[in-house]
Amino acid sequence: MAPLLPTLHDPSPIRHYDRLQLQQLADEVRACVLDNVSRTGGHLSSNLGTVELTVALHHVFNTPHDRLVWDVGHQTYPHKILTGRRDRMPTLRQQGGIAGFPQRSESEYDTFGTAHSSTSISAALGMAMAAKQKGEDRHAVAIIGDGALTAGMAFEALNNAGVCDCKLLVILNDNDMSISPPVGALNRYLAQLMSGQFYAAAKNVGKTVLRGAPPLFELARRFEQHAKGMVVPATLFEQFGFNYVGPIDGHDLDSLVPTLENLRQLDGPQFLHVVTKKGQGYKLAEADPVAYHGPGKFDPQVGLVKPTTVPKQTFTQVFGQWLCDTAAVDGRLVGITPAMREGSGLVEFEQRFPDRYYDVGIAEQHAVTFAAGLACEGLKPVVAIYSTFLQRAYDQLIHDVAIQNLPVVFALDRAGLVGADGATHAGAYDIPFLRCIPNMSVACPADEAECRQLLTSAYEQDHPVAVRYPRGAGAGITPHLTLHGLPFGKGEIRRKGKGIAILAFGTLLYPALTAAEALDATVVNMRWAKPLDVALLLEVAASHGALVTLEEGAVMGGAGSAVLEALQAAGVQKAVLQLGLPDQFIEHGDPVKLLAGIGLDAAGIERAIAARFGAAPSA
């Protein structure tokens, strides 16, 4: 048969394909995903697992009139390929290219922008109710993974949807693996449901034997429905008010297509449970879906290979080593992650201290309040969480931790820009949203060595402290393996110059030092956004004509704003230039190029200072 994919520019022809064509299309899409991700890097395992489901959805539903809402969205490469973006796949997650997640601005088929988990049911319900209110005949379909279904927001939406009369279909894509292995009672329930081999085998045998005798087959079907209630008790989802169907094989188009067609004809909220396999169709990814969750470039014929040169130690690795070393000397320490064991560097900690390791699932709100409860009883919780995900637990941070002044350490990974994941994952706002909270402190290490030391400083405090550090490696400063902290709330002068002083918060210290050589400027490593080293600030302000604040975080309300507030409180008038992330969402791309594009590399810092001050002002 001739290739189908090159002829597709939108999904409408797919609705007329027969079953053989649908399978051929699925095979071509899978090959396209593998080919492109191996060249660009990106999410692989999850996308290989949703190929047949995506093909079936676009075959059965009239997209984009019918709305598809993909949860998280890192499994939407097949969807992008089928909706007119196949030719742009080589630009995936690159600056100016297509995003790794759904974006409304990118395509009318991306009906809702996603990248954080567990939002799909709420959004799809809103769309379904809007259609009903406007008198429009359309369906809304939410596709959510078993990991994402553990979040409270998903259950809030299910609770609401179960009493709404609308055309909503929720599809549970059950692949038994989110990014880290899924945890919790719900996942055990799904595993037990799937392990009911007696029920599945009996059902299949009955259908095969009795299909030739329609009256007997109908009798068996009714008995099956009755037996289902005995073998698999009324499901949780039926209790929410959904009509539950499944589980069915998410890679079997002969099951998917007629099931979706039938569900499309039913009224009220529907729930379809499909079982898929991450990495489906690519044996290496099937065998190790975690390694192939978000690989860089690789040869599909060879698979992932270890680099020939030892890479620089990442901040995440520094944190993981510090956590293990501190736990070895302090039995009070416990480590908490909301389903990001690998990403947050907790693999070794779980192995060495399994009784003190808690993966609470995709449940950031619970993670923070759980830590507060542990702290109330004298333990020392360390919450390893991405900056962008802490945003989801802001009320808990204030109400449950800060107001009670509990000694919880927040290890904020992915602070600043994150590159290919784009605006949804950038840690741009943690300094502004943390420093305004009473009792909170915020540390900004400049390099790997300081990261370890400031984590120790944070752990030594009797109040909540956040330590923010970026994705990947920094300047390559090897940490000392001692557990000695740095003075709390104190910075240091790293270079003495004249006229202008650059106050650097975090890893931008190093480009600041480079720029300062050309400008003969002073460079201060502030280390703490809160408490600010006011004594050092005033000392530097008194001996310099102008100050420049520098941070890889939002300028509005950030560390530079803290400097201005401190100067004003002290009655000091001084020219201040604030450099940091501008008041805009910065999309995906290479982090080095992104920073250069907004003037936060050494050359950009030098240009901004020269443009603002020209010759160095005198004190």
Side-chain angles (χ1 to χ4, degrees):
M1 295 177 67
L4 297 170
L5 199 51
T7 67
L8 281 179
H9 303 289
D10 65 69
S12 56
I14 302 174
R15 291 169 202 131
H16 306 290
Y17 284 0
D18 60 30
R19 206 60 53 82
L20 288 177
Q21 289 174 305
L22 290 177
Q23 186 58 61
Q24 178 187 340
L25 179 63
D27 294 340
E28 292 180 25
V29 169
R30 178 167 282 110
C32 183
V33 168
L34 181 58
D35 177 61
N36 279 283
V37 175
S38 69
R39 296 171 187 268
T40 65
H43 294 100
L44 182 61
S45 298
S46 52
N47 283 288
L48 294 176
T50 57
V51 170
E52 286 81 8
L53 177 59
T54 306
V55 169
L57 285 169
H58 282 292
H59 173 72
V60 172
F61 289 94
N62 181 26
T63 57
H65 178 77
D66 290 329
R67 314 302 198 201
L68 300 184
V69 181
W70 296 88
D71 211 280
V72 183
H74 58 24
Q75 75 276 46
T76 53
Y77 299 176
H79 166 78
K80 288 175 182 276
I81 290 168
L82 293 177
T83 53
R85 287 166 280 181
R86 178 178 60 86
D87 291 342
R88 297 190 66 202
M89 286 298 289
T91 71
L92 181 70
R93 290 160 43 100
Q94 299 171 44
Q95 194 166 0
I98 61 175
F101 301 99
Q103 279 192 349
R104 281 169 54 83
S105 60
E106 189 177 290
S107 170
E108 63 179 337
Y109 292 91
D110 291 359
T111 60
F112 195 76
T114 57
H116 288 188
S117 80
S118 315
T119 62
S120 61
I121 305 176
S122 298
L125 176 60
M127 293 174 181
M129 293 305 293
K132 180 180 180 180
Q133 184 170 318
K134 296 188 313 182
E136 297 172 347
D137 183 17
R138 71 170 84 242
H139 291 78
V141 183
I143 305 98
I144 185 168
D146 52 299
L149 197 64
T150 64
M153 184 175 178
F155 282 91
E156 293 170 13
L158 287 172
N159 184 57
N160 187 194
V163 295
C164 293
D165 181 18
C166 60
K167 294 185 176 182
L168 173 69
L169 169 61
V170 175
I171 298 177
L172 171 59
N173 177 26
D174 182 0
N175 54 37
D176 199 37
M177 200 206 83
S178 46
I179 298 174
S180 297
V183 296
L186 175 63
N187 201 264
R188 285 200 301 271
Y189 169 80
L190 293 176
Q192 290 168 3
L193 187 66
M194 286 310 303
S195 66
Q197 296 302 318
F198 164 76
Y199 165 65
K203 178 176 67 175
N204 290 334
V205 168
K207 286 183 176 179
T208 301
V209 172
L210 299 174
R211 187 170 295 277
L216 293 177
F217 180 74
E218 176 62 20
L219 178 63
R221 187 189 65 79
R222 293 181 181 179
F223 174 76
E224 175 195 330
Q225 292 176 342
H226 180 67
K228 179 180 177 182
M230 296 185 291
V231 180
V232 182
T235 71
L236 173 66
F237 310 107
E238 288 171 339
Q239 296 301 314
F240 271 113
F242 283 78
N243 173 45
Y244 173 88
V245 175
I248 66 171
D249 185 349
H251 300 297
D252 180 8
L253 288 167
D254 288 334
S255 296
L256 279 172
V257 170
T259 302
L260 288 171
E261 288 174 338
N262 289 337
L263 287 171
R264 195 171 186 269
Q265 306 305 315
L266 300 178
D267 294 326
Q270 307 295 318
F271 194 103
L272 174 61
H273 182 175
V274 304
V275 179
T276 61
K277 185 174 185 178
K278 278 204 170 186
Q280 174 75 11
Y282 182 51
K283 295 301 183 182
L284 294 175
E286 290 180 16
D288 192 353
V290 173
Y292 286 87
H293 170 73
K297 299 177 184 180
F298 69 99
D299 182 347
Q301 301 301 318
V302 177
L304 301 178
V305 295
K306 292 183 178 180
T308 54
T309 58
V310 178
K312 289 197 294 185
Q313 189 177 28
T314 66
F315 282 91
T316 303
Q317 291 169 335
V318 169
F319 164 73
Q321 185 63 56
W322 170 84
L323 191 69
C324 290
D325 293 347
T326 306
V329 298
D330 189 344
R332 299 174 299 165
L333 184 149
V334 294
I336 302 168
T337 176
M340 296 300 295
R341 180 186 64 181
E342 289 79 14
S344 292
L346 291 172
V347 173
E348 183 181 352
F349 181 81
E350 182 199 18
Q351 293 169 349
R352 291 180 56 184
F353 305 97
D355 294 337
R356 293 152 66 183
Y357 165 81
Y358 297 97
D359 183 345
V360 301
I362 302 177
E364 293 87 357
Q365 294 172 293
H366 165 60
V368 172
T369 303
F370 175 58
L374 291 166
C376 284
E377 299 302 319
L379 298 182
K380 293 279 284 187
V382 178
V383 179
I385 189 169
Y386 290 6
S387 170
T388 185
F389 296 149
L390 184 60
Q391 296 164 185
R392 306 182 66 160
Y394 194 54
D395 180 66
Q396 289 69 29
L397 185 67
I398 297 173
H399 185 274
D400 300 333
V401 175
I403 287 178
Q404 301 186 93
N405 201 25
L406 295 170
V408 178
V409 173
F410 295 91
L412 301 190
D413 206 323
R414 273 63 168 177
L417 300 183
V418 292
D421 282 340
T424 56
H425 282 61
Y429 312 109
D430 50 76
I431 294 178
F433 76 61
L434 288 172
R435 76 175 191 86
C436 65
I437 304 174
N439 295 330
M440 282 292 307
S441 295
V442 185
C444 309
D447 53 45
E448 298 87 342
E450 276 196 359
C451 185
R452 182 178 172 100
Q453 290 175 292
L454 288 174
L455 283 165
T456 297
S457 301
Y459 189 76
E460 291 170 346
Q461 307 310 309
D462 60 358
H463 62 270
V465 184
V467 181
R468 71 185 306 265
Y469 47 88
R471 181 178 189 172
I477 310 300
T478 303
H480 296 291
L481 296 183
T482 59
L483 290 171
H484 298 309
L486 292 167
F488 179 74
K490 297 296 180 183
E492 62 168 358
I493 296 176
R494 288 288 292 264
R495 185 190 189 278
K496 290 188 176 181
K498 300 175 182 178
I500 294 173
I502 304 173
L503 313 180
F505 295 83
T507 55
L508 293 184
L509 170 71
Y510 287 91
L513 287 168
T514 301
E517 289 296 325
L519 300 166
D520 192 21
T522 293
V523 178
V524 183
N525 177 20
M526 293 299 290
R527 285 183 179 150
W528 295 86
K530 183 184 181 183
L532 202 63
D533 191 342
V534 176
L536 179 59
L537 169 63
L538 296 180
E539 174 192 329
V540 170
S543 56
H544 293 77
L547 303 177
V548 179
T549 64
L550 184 60
E551 59 195 301
E552 193 175 335
V555 166
M556 297 183 70
S561 297
V563 167
L564 288 171
E565 293 162 10
L567 291 173
Q568 184 182 44
V572 175
Q573 292 189 345
K574 188 67 60 174
V576 178
L577 170 63
Q578 293 175 259
L579 298 178
L581 301 183
D583 184 27
Q584 67 187 64
F585 293 113
I586 299 173
E587 294 300 337
H588 49 276
D590 177 81
V592 174
K593 293 180 181 178
L594 291 176
L595 286 172
I598 56 176
L600 292 182
D601 60 345
I605 295 166
E606 183 182 341
R607 284 195 307 270
I609 293 174
R612 171 69 182 274
F613 298 116
S618 57

